[in-house]
Amino acid sequence: MRRLPKGEERASLAADFARLYEDEQLSIRAIQARTGYSYTGIRTLLIEARVTFREPARSETTLALADDCARLYRRDLSIRAVAAEVGYGYRYTRDLIVLGGAVLRDGDGRSRTAAVEASR
């Protein structure tokens, strides 16, 4: 991996990466393959260039799975039970439930919003 430059050369490289990301719609991985810089280095320079990052692409299959996970969760299954049902890990299943639009509950079964209000 190539080392990131300093000073004006760094600012110029950040501008080049921003152009590739925004104008050419390249992903960070594609910029990495083209330039030989690390993913982290490219992302750092994009942040320095004040680039607004795109939302990650989600396939129809992922969106359908997220809807299914949220539906199961709304039927009072726990995140662990939903994870066991769909065959994915806890964290990924939790992310799918949130993506599917379900409001997460606290340990007592209340929605997170209701739990915060009850603690006041």
Side-chain angles (χ1 to χ4, degrees), residues 31-87:
I31 297 170
Q32 178 185 18
R34 185 181 283 189
T35 64
Y37 287 98
S38 71
Y39 182 97
T40 304
I42 294 165
R43 190 171 192 290
T44 299
L45 289 182
L46 290 173
I47 290 169
E48 289 176 14
R50 301 193 187 282
V51 167
T52 301
F53 290 100
R54 299 183 292 265
E55 287 291 319
R58 295 192 170 94
S59 70
E60 291 295 321
T61 306
T62 300
L63 295 174
L65 180 59
D67 289 341
D68 290 343
C69 289
R71 181 179 42 78
L72 291 170
Y73 186 76
R74 287 186 194 107
R75 290 185 181 169
D76 285 336
L77 269 70
S78 68
I79 296 174
R80 291 196 193 289
V82 175
E85 182 76 23
V86 297

Side-chain angles (χ1 to χ4, degrees), residues 70 73-74 76-77 79 97-106 109-115:
Y73 186 76
R74 287 186 194 107
D76 285 336
L77 269 70
I79 296 174
I97 290 168
V98 171
L99 178 61
V103 176
L104 296 179
R105 302 181 296 266
D106 70 356
R110 298 174 296 192
S111 71
R112 296 285 180 178
T113 307

